[in-house]
């Protein structure tokens, strides 16, 4: 590829980074704590098969960042890990527990593609820090299917073609799952109200509502 | 078949014409579908882009030393370190658009440009061990900007004394590198206006609309020696490969483009883009795979959306309702770089013998405009068919009758492969109960909630053309279909499989599809122009016919044998127009106290040839119609004229539709088989978005008796019109 400049001179990374006077104050500068390796321990899963996993982390050549040890259950598997204080729950799930089902559509609480359940409540995992999930139970879209059985809601999404591009689908499924846990026979209006925080730019809204209703046995044929 | 032969319901075939769940539906509902950002490579770095905070500025100096010194930073690139031209130039880059034009264009698009010409233009990028370090490094890049005069309004940009986006002027350069408007004249518009009993003049405007697909753009690049693999969400891996190779100074075979699942496109993901090049450059410099992620705001301002327009009409009409002349002079705001044409359609669906259309694609210091689902159409149809609706009421003619009186029909000179325009309108009027819902006297409901009905109609190209497919069968009767498609949402992968299954006469479960990877798939036209089904689908039919002939000749393969067939057909309609047709009829309730508009009924009738898979086809129309409603009532990208800054970048600010805003869309397909495309299938994806703005605006007029001429039709505008 064409380059305007000749080869840059090799450079060495300084050993430490001193925040400069007047420089942007980052979460890194603000928070304090000690770095530690990330460990994912197989806990005592309530569901499924016990597993012990070590998550992949980025090389720790960057400056140590404050971390906090937390314990949380994800899809029935207990994890004990040291998380960076600045990680969102979504980063923890997608980048460090390898559950990439929840999506980042906006990373600022507008679209709902990152929705997961925290103790059964739908939350935006992009706007929730990982440390806030300490001691709590997280369910993601990967945790819906049990023993190879899709939930009626997932099956209805397939039958009613509720996923076009599929990017918002994990969030729609999680919010709808939480709603159905509270209200097993919602009206179309109640479904729309519950899902208002989950955008679908394919605008497949009609089919999503039909699928949710069909999963309860009250919907019509596709 | 004759052009106006009435259509009959088509019987379902073995696989085609039945509701078939997507072959990848399981992956989509379990989180197993792998989108670009779900790909993880060992040692992968994360990258972020720094963007211009100014609408127009020269970069006096850029100092990256503090960013480079930040631990964890692996590479920083700017216009001083790398000057690459993306999409190979300025005029509508992309192989399918015009390779020759790219050699002569002088408005080059650099990966990083100086001066910067819009808020959000890339100025530098950083690759680091994680995204937090990359984001922090951006803050440590010191740039000294010299702010320059800027222009935001497309019409003012052409006035004398306007700030210059480009030194030679603000009128965009065309395919011949000439600054001149797009002109199309038929007949003699002056004579047509003179022959008219009445001449109507009006101005309509439409707003910029971001495609806003849910998956923000990203690119993951990895070099293997002098070959680079780029995982990137693109609507067309073949064209993306060609353009990236050209931009990187490589041969096509040195670039591999991979796109498995994609979170929507709508034209935002046509071809290649600068971030592919930035990711490749950073990966080369850092000698590691680099995942470049655009934030939502990056994506909103740093990609493109539908061009905003100003349209001035003069329409001449005889007292009996015959249109004698249509003149439209328009401005399309393209931002500082011409990514697509800036066209404005709508006139060509009328039979009027005297028309003149002059469009000025204008450069401004707004963000770039480009393709969004039917790029030239909803904005044009809104203005043209609002104009015609207005004239119909002023002449005391039912708008449906006025449309049927003046719409383009087949003649000896204008030949169609088939024609169902009238049938679409009549079916729609009947299903909608047009006579019952329309107010003969607009605004006549007592209120405060007033109802009204509006309609619009369209014909939209559904051409045929080249593409490729490869089919293989082994001794276990497993069929593998290789097609270079990506699935942006309509279900292209499933459609290709069911076409193969139909033609081969085998169950769908016996067909496996290999897709979305240029190293494994042959050329495909790309998911733009609603052409995948008609073009690549037709290639699949031809490959399957070839394979069947081979099997008939030599029998099914045994043992380790395989049979392989391929096709690259170049079909033609021999001068006939192949169009899809549609009519939308809308009823609204408008609360005149609040200016609030609710869609109370929406009927969409479409003829898109044979419908291969009814469920996803229906949802293409429903989703597109809802996007049209969003354009009609909600979406905008407002700029502060004082400082050139965008104010509503994002779903919330631009007010994209939510579940609560989405009415039920009733879809009816009129099915035909005109003998072209795979089993007579035509275009679906773009057709549904064209008619919403016009039909909604016409319904609002019918409800409140005031013509709303500026999109989006917000509550504030309605209240202002009523006051």
């Amino acid at each position: 590829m064409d380059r305007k400049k000749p080869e840059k001179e090799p450079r060495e990374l300084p050993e430490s980074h001193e925040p400069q006077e007047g420089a942007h104050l980052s979460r890194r500068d603000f928070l304090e704590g000690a770095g530690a390796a990330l460990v994912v321990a197989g806990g005592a899963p309530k569901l499924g098969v016990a597993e012990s996993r070590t998550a992949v982390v980025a090389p720790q050549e960057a400056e140590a960042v404050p971390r906090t040890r937390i314990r949380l259950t994800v899809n029935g598997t207990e994890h004990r890990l040291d998380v960076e204080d600045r990680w969102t729950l979504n980063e923890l799930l997608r980048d460090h527990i390898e559950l990439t089902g929840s999506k980042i559509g906006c990373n600022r609480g507008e679209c709902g593609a990152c929705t997961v359940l925290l103790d059964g409540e739908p939350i935006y995992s992009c706007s929730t820090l990982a440390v806030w999930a300490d001691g709590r139970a997280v369910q993601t879209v990967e945790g819906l299917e049990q023993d190879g059985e899709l939930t009626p809601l997932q099956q209805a999404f397939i039958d009613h073609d509720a996923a076009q591009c599929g990017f918002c689908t994990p969030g729609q499924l999680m919010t709808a799952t939480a709603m159905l846990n509270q209200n097993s026979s919602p009206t179309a209006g109640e479904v729309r109200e519950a899902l208002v925080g989950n955008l679908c730019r394919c605008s497949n809204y009609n089919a999503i509502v039909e699928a949710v209703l069909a999963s309860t046995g009250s919907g019509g044929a596709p | 078949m004759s052009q106006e032969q009435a259509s009959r319901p088509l019987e379902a075939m073995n696989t085609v014409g039945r509701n078939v769940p997507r072959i990848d539906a399981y992956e989509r509902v379990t989180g197993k579908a792998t989108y670009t950002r779900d790909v993880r490579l060992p040692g992968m770095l994360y990258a972020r882009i720094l963007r211009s905070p100014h609408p127009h500025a020269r970069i006096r100096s850029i100092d990256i030393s503090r960013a480079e010194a930040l631990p964890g930073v692996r590479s920083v690139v700017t216009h001083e370190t790398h000057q690459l031209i993306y999409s190979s130039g300025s005029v509508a880059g992309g192989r399918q658009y015009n390779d020759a034009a790219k050699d002569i264009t002088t408005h080059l698009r650099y990966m990083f440009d100086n001066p910067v010409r819009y808020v959000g233009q890339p100025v530098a990028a950083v690759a680091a061990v994680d995204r937090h370090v990359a984001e922090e490094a951006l803050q440590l890049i010191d740039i000294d900007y010299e702010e320059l005069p800027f222009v935001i309004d497309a019409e003012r940009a052409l006035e004398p004394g306007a700030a210059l986006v480009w030194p030679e002027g603000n009128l965009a350069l065309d395919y011949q590198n000439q600054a001149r408007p797009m002109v199309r004249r038929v007949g003699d518009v002056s004579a047509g206006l003179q022959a008219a009993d009445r001449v109507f003049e009006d101005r309509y405007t439409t707003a910029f609309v971001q495609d806003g697909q849910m998956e923000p753009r990203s690119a993951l690049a990895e070099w293997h020696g002098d070959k680079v693999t780029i995982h990137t969400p693109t609507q067309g891996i073949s064209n993306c490969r060609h353009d990236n190779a050209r931009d990187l100074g490589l041969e096509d075979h040195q670039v591999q483009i991979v796109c498995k699942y994609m979170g929507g496109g709508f034209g935002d993901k046509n071809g290649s883009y600068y971030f592919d090049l930035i990711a490749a450059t950073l990966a080369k410099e850092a000698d590691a795979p680099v995942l470049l992620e655009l934030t939502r705001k990056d994506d909103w301002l740093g990609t493109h959306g539908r061009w905003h327009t100003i349209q001035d009409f003069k329409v001449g009409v005889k007292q009996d309702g015959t249109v004698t002349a249509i003149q439209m002079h328009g401005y399309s705001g393209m931002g500082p770089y011409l990514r697509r044409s800036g066209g404005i359609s709508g006139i060509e669906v009328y039979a009027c013998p005297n028309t003149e259309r002059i469009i000025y694609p204008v450069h401004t210091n707004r963000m770039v405009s480009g393709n969004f689902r039917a790029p030239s159409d909803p904005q044009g149809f809104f203005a043209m068919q609002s104009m015609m609706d207005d004239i119909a009421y002023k002449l005391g003619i039912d708008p449906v009758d006025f449309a049927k009186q003046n719409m383009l029909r087949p003649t000896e000179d204008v030949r169609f492969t088939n024609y169902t325009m009238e049938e679409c309108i009549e079916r729609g009027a009947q299903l909608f109960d047009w006579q019952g819902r329309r107010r003969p006297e607009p605004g006549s409901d007592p209120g405060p909630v007033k109802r009204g009905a509006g309609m619009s109609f369209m014909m939209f190209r559904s051409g045929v053309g080249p593409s490729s497919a490869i089919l293989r069968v082994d001794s276990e009767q497993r069929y593998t279909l290789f097609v270079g498609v990506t699935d942006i949402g309509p279900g292209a992968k499933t459609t290709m499989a069911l076409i193969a299954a139909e033609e081969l006469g085998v169950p769908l479960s016996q067909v496996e599809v290999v897709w979305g990877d240029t190293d494994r798939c042959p050329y495909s036209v790309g998911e733009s122009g609603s052409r995948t089904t008609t073009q690549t689908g037709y290639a699949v039919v031809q490959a399957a016919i070839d394979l069947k002939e081979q099997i008939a000749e030599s029998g099914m393969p045994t043992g380790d044998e395989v049979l392989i067939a391929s096709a690259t057909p170049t079909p033609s309609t021999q001068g006939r127009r192949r169009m899809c047709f549609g009519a939308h009829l809308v009823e609204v309730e408008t609360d005149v106290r609040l200016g609030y508009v609710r869609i109370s009924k929406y009927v969409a009738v479409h003829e898109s040839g044979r419908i291969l898979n009814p469920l996803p086809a229906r949802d293409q129309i429903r989703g597109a119609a809802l996007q049209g409603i969003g354009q009609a009532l909600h979406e905008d990208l407002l700029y502060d004229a004082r400082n050139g800054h965008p104010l509503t970048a994002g779903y919330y600010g631009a007010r994209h539709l939510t579940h609560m805003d989405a009415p039920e869309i009733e879809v009816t397909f009129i099915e035909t088989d005109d003998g072209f495309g795979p089993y007579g299938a035509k275009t679906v994806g773009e057709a549904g978005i064209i008619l919403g703005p016009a039909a909604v605006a016409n319904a609002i007029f019918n409800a409140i008796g005031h013509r709303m001429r500026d999109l989006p039709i917000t509550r504030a505008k309605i209240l202002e019109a009523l006051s």
Side-chain angles (χ1 to χ4, degrees):
Chain A
M1 105 185 64
D2 295 329
R3 294 195 38 156
K4 195 180 178 187
K5 271 187 175 176
E7 200 63 35
K8 272 185 288 185
E9 289 186 3
R11 57 178 185 271
E12 288 182 8
L13 292 172
E15 289 186 344
S16 69
H17 161 58
E18 294 292 329
Q20 298 192 359
E21 198 67 38
H24 166 75
L25 186 67
S26 71
R27 280 175 285 191
R28 161 199 313 253
D29 300 324
F30 184 72
L31 299 167
E32 51 176 40
L38 179 74
V39 178
V40 182
K46 293 175 192 158
L47 300 163
V49 184
E51 51 181 327
S52 180
R53 300 163 57 192
T54 304
V56 180
V57 290
Q60 290 299 300
E61 71 173 64
E63 185 179 279
V65 175
R67 287 173 178 261
T68 299
R69 169 152 299 206
I70 65 169
R71 242 172 114 143
L72 77 167
T73 305
V74 181
N75 299 332
T77 302
E78 187 172 281
H79 297 255
R80 280 181 290 125
L81 10 73
D82 289 324
V83 299
E84 292 189 6
D85 291 355
R86 63 189 178 184
W87 286 352
T88 64
L89 178 58
N90 187 269
E91 284 182 279
L92 174 63
L93 294 169
R94 285 182 49 82
D95 298 343
H96 305 290
I97 308 185
E98 294 169 44
L99 294 171
T100 56
S102 68
K103 301 296 182 224
I104 286 297
C106 69
N107 212 25
R108 59 188 201 188
E110 286 185 356
C111 78
C114 66
T115 305
V116 300
L117 303 190
L118 190 61
D119 290 339
E121 289 292 321
I123 52 120
Y124 289 167
S125 64
C126 78
S127 305
T128 305
L129 288 176
V131 291
W132 296 349
D134 186 25
R136 306 176 77 175
V138 175
Q139 189 184 15
T140 72
V141 68
E142 291 94 338
L144 290 176
E145 185 183 12
Q146 295 291 334
D147 302 325
E149 285 271 316
L150 296 177
T151 66
L153 182 67
Q154 286 174 304
Q155 190 58 50
F157 263 57
I158 292 176
D159 296 341
H160 291 259
D161 202 44
Q164 282 195 30
C165 79
F167 203 76
C168 75
T169 305
Q172 306 276 0
L173 283 167
M174 297 318 291
T175 306
T177 296
M179 180 207 58
L180 292 170
N181 285 341
Q182 301 286 323
N183 178 1
S184 58
S185 54
T187 64
E190 287 169 336
V191 174
R192 288 191 197 103
E193 217 161 285
L195 292 176
V196 71
N198 290 88
L199 300 188
C200 171
R201 184 53 170 166
C202 299
S203 303
N204 207 26
Y205 292 120
N206 288 178
I208 293 167
V209 173
E210 286 158 9
V212 175
L213 292 175
S215 76
T216 69
S218 60
Chain B
M1 69 191 280
S2 74
Q3 294 188 63
E4 284 207 70
Q5 182 181 333
S7 57
R8 295 180 304 273
L10 297 177
E11 283 182 22
M13 304 169 77
N14 285 327
T15 311
V16 157
R18 302 177 190 280
N19 283 330
V20 178
R22 293 167 193 242
I23 58 178
D24 52 7
Y26 170 79
E27 285 79 4
R28 288 170 193 271
V29 302
T30 53
K32 293 188 168 73
T34 310
Y35 297 79
T36 298
R37 290 187 193 191
D38 302 336
V39 178
R40 297 283 181 272
L41 298 176
M44 184 175 91
L45 304 174
Y46 288 82
R48 284 286 190 271
I49 295 175
L50 184 67
R51 293 174 181 276
S52 167
H54 301 297
H56 198 191
R58 184 170 301 282
I59 299 172
R60 286 202 196 93
S61 67
I62 181 162
D63 181 357
I64 58 175
S65 56
R66 289 202 299 143
E68 287 187 312
L70 184 69
V73 169
R74 293 289 188 79
S75 181
V76 183
V77 294
T78 72
H79 75 277
E80 291 184 347
T81 68
H82 294 81
Q83 285 206 332
L84 294 179
I85 297 163
Y86 76 90
S87 290
S88 303
S90 183
V91 178
R95 180 189 211 167
Q96 72 268 45
Y97 291 96
N98 193 338
D99 244 356
K102 289 183 275 190
D103 291 328
I104 59 168
T105 185
T106 49
H107 284 179
L108 296 175
R109 291 183 296 204
Y110 288 93
M111 185 170 82
F112 303 113
D113 213 346
N114 187 13
V116 287
R117 297 184 171 91
Y118 64 98
V119 172
Q121 186 161 3
V123 293
V126 174
V129 292
D130 72 27
R131 61 171 73 87
H132 296 281
V133 176
E135 282 175 6
E136 192 169 345
L138 294 187
Q139 312 269 357
L140 301 175
I141 297 173
D142 300 304
I143 303 178
D144 181 16
Y145 288 103
E146 175 195 353
E147 292 188 48
L148 301 172
F150 60 89
V151 60
I152 294 299
D153 183 274
E155 190 177 19
R156 280 195 200 146
L158 289 187
E159 289 172 1
L164 291 177
V165 183
W166 291 91
E168 59 273 30
N170 292 335
L171 182 57
L173 302 181
D174 67 9
Y175 282 75
Q176 274 112 34
N177 204 39
Q178 301 293 313
R180 58 192 173 199
M182 295 185 276
V183 179
R184 183 174 177 274
R185 290 193 178 93
V186 177
D188 182 339
V189 82
S190 301
L193 288 169
Q194 277 187 344
D197 293 325
R198 296 177 71 178
V199 174
F200 297 90
E201 295 184 48
D202 245 320
R203 164 171 283 205
Y204 287 83
T205 69
T206 65
F208 177 94
V209 181
Q210 234 296 351
D211 303 35
Q213 79 294 337
M214 295 297 293
E215 179 198 28
R217 299 288 297 246
S218 50
L220 168 56
E222 181 182 31
W223 288 86
H224 319 270
D226 62 356
K227 267 200 76 170
V228 63
T229 300
I230 306 176
H231 301 257
T232 188
T234 174
Q235 299 174 230
I237 54 173
S238 302
N239 299 321
C240 185
R241 176 179 72 160
H242 180 75
D243 281 340
N244 274 319
R246 179 173 164 149
D247 298 346
L248 290 165
L250 303 172
E251 299 296 323
D252 279 8
H253 72 268
Q254 291 174 279
V255 177
Q256 178 191 19
I257 301 293
V258 181
C259 176
K260 291 299 182 184
Y261 290 86
M262 190 201 302
F266 315 118
D268 200 80
K269 290 170 175 167
N270 284 159
S272 65
Y273 234 130
Y274 60 84
F275 25 81
D276 298 331
L277 299 179
I278 293 176
T281 304
L282 287 168
K284 186 97 175 173
E285 290 296 308
D287 195 21
V290 168
L291 172 63
L292 174 62
E293 301 171 315
L294 268 65
T295 66
R296 174 50 59 187
K297 192 171 181 186
D298 282 344
D299 193 280
W300 209 275
L301 298 176
T303 61
H304 60 255
R306 188 181 301 288
W307 41 90
H308 53 111
T309 69
I310 301 165
Q311 303 174 48
D312 290 319
F313 283 92
K314 257 188 205 175
V315 178
V317 194
K318 289 279 193 194
Q319 203 54 46
D320 70 356
T322 306
V323 176
T324 59
I326 304 173
Q327 182 189 59
M328 193 282 280
H329 293 178
Y331 302 88
S332 293
M334 305 311 293
Y337 302 90
L338 194 68
R339 189 159 169 89
R340 290 296 182 258
S341 71
I344 302 171
S345 70
I347 293 179
E348 57 291 326
V349 299
Y350 292 95
C352 177
N354 305 300
T355 63
E356 177 183 84
R357 181 173 64 202
I358 301 177
I359 303 166
Y360 295 85
V362 185
H363 288 307
T364 68
N365 295 106
R366 293 188 191 220
M367 67 171 284
V368 176
S369 297
N371 282 357
F372 179 10
R373 203 172 196 165
S376 305
D377 304 288
Q379 61 272 49
F381 277 72
F382 156 72
M384 183 76 257
Q385 298 205 7
S386 291
M387 192 75 203
M388 292 302 196
D389 189 78
D390 208 44
I391 293 169
Y393 278 104
K394 283 174 175 159
L395 296 178
I397 302 174
D398 181 327
V400 164
D401 296 334
F402 190 69
K404 287 196 284 193
Q405 184 178 351
N406 286 295
M407 69 193 187
L408 184 68
R409 290 175 186 273
T411 65
E412 278 186 16
D413 296 330
V414 183
R415 295 165 64 234
F416 292 81
T417 60
N418 77 313
Y419 181 90
T420 56
M421 192 65 259
E422 184 144 14
E423 199 176 343
C424 286
I425 293 175
E426 284 179 356
R427 182 82 67 88
Q430 173 205 343
L431 291 167
F432 179 82
D433 185 17
W434 174 253
Q435 293 305 335
R437 292 179 190 273
R438 186 177 79 93
R439 304 293 184 258
E441 180 63 36
S444 57
D445 273 13
V449 175
K450 297 184 171 203
R451 289 191 173 208
M455 69 84 67
S456 56
F457 70 97
M458 62 110 206
M459 311 170 202
F460 185 70
R461 55 165 168 68
S462 182
V464 298
S467 205
S468 298
I470 298 170
L471 250 177
R472 183 182 70 194
V473 62
D474 64 17
S475 60
E476 294 175 64
Q477 302 198 30
R478 290 184 308 175
Y479 295 84
T480 310
L481 174 64
F482 300 82
V483 274
V485 305
T486 56
D487 193 346
I488 65 172
K493 193 173 34 153
T494 303
T495 306
M496 297 304 119
L498 65 87
I499 291 171
E502 179 70 46
E503 191 60 40
L504 293 165
V506 302
L508 189 62
S509 56
Q510 265 173 260
V511 180
E512 186 195 346
V513 183
V514 177
W515 86 104
D517 183 338
T518 52
D519 274 12
R520 289 172 175 76
C521 308
Y523 174 79
S524 183
V525 62
E527 288 61 49
S528 59
S530 302
R531 295 178 294 186
T532 298
T533 296
T534 53
Q535 295 189 204
T536 307
Y538 187 70
V540 173
V541 172
Q542 298 304 311
I545 289 172
D546 179 354
L547 191 65
K548 281 195 298 188
E549 284 171 2
Q550 291 187 42
I551 293 169
E553 209 168 281
S554 54
M556 284 297 284
T558 58
D560 294 331
E561 292 173 357
V562 292
L563 289 176
I564 295 176
S566 69
T568 305
T570 53
S572 158
T573 58
Q574 283 126 22
R576 281 182 284 172
R577 297 184 192 196
R578 186 164 197 255
M579 310 293 271
C580 60
F581 302 89
H584 287 202
L585 297 99
V586 179
E587 182 190 66
V588 298
E589 294 175 352
T590 304
D591 186 325
V592 298
R593 297 163 301 184
L594 303 168
Y596 185 76
V597 174
R598 191 180 82 86
I599 310 283
S600 45
K601 191 168 182 71
Y602 197 116
V603 169
V605 176
H606 282 264
E607 190 261 281
S608 286
R610 185 191 296 273
I611 300 302
L612 302 183
N613 196 357
L615 215 50
R618 176 203 65 182
D619 288 338
Q620 282 300 298
I621 300 296
R622 296 202 296 193
L626 289 172
Q627 288 179 337
I629 292 171
Q631 186 186 2
L633 300 177
H634 293 238
E635 297 166 33
D636 202 347
L637 180 60
L638 298 171
Y639 272 81
D640 186 333
R642 295 166 301 179
N643 57 25
H645 273 251
L647 301 172
T648 54
Y651 293 117
Y652 183 75
R655 306 191 315 133
H656 281 40
L657 258 60
T658 72
H659 271 284
M660 295 295 281
D661 303 311
E664 284 180 31
I665 309 294
E666 301 166 38
V667 180
T668 298
F669 286 114
I670 293 170
E671 287 199 74
T672 61
D673 181 354
D674 68 351
F676 294 93
Y679 314 113
K682 291 186 192 170
T683 286
V684 178
E686 288 170 293
I689 200 173
I690 296 168
L691 294 176
V696 169
N698 290 341
I700 292 172
F701 169 75
N702 192 234
I704 66 174
H706 292 271
R707 180 64 56 182
M708 304 307 295
R709 297 185 179 86
D710 305 292
L711 295 187
I713 305 170
T714 59
R715 289 171 55 187
K717 288 178 189 171
I718 288 175
L719 290 175
E720 192 186 333
L722 290 167
S723 68

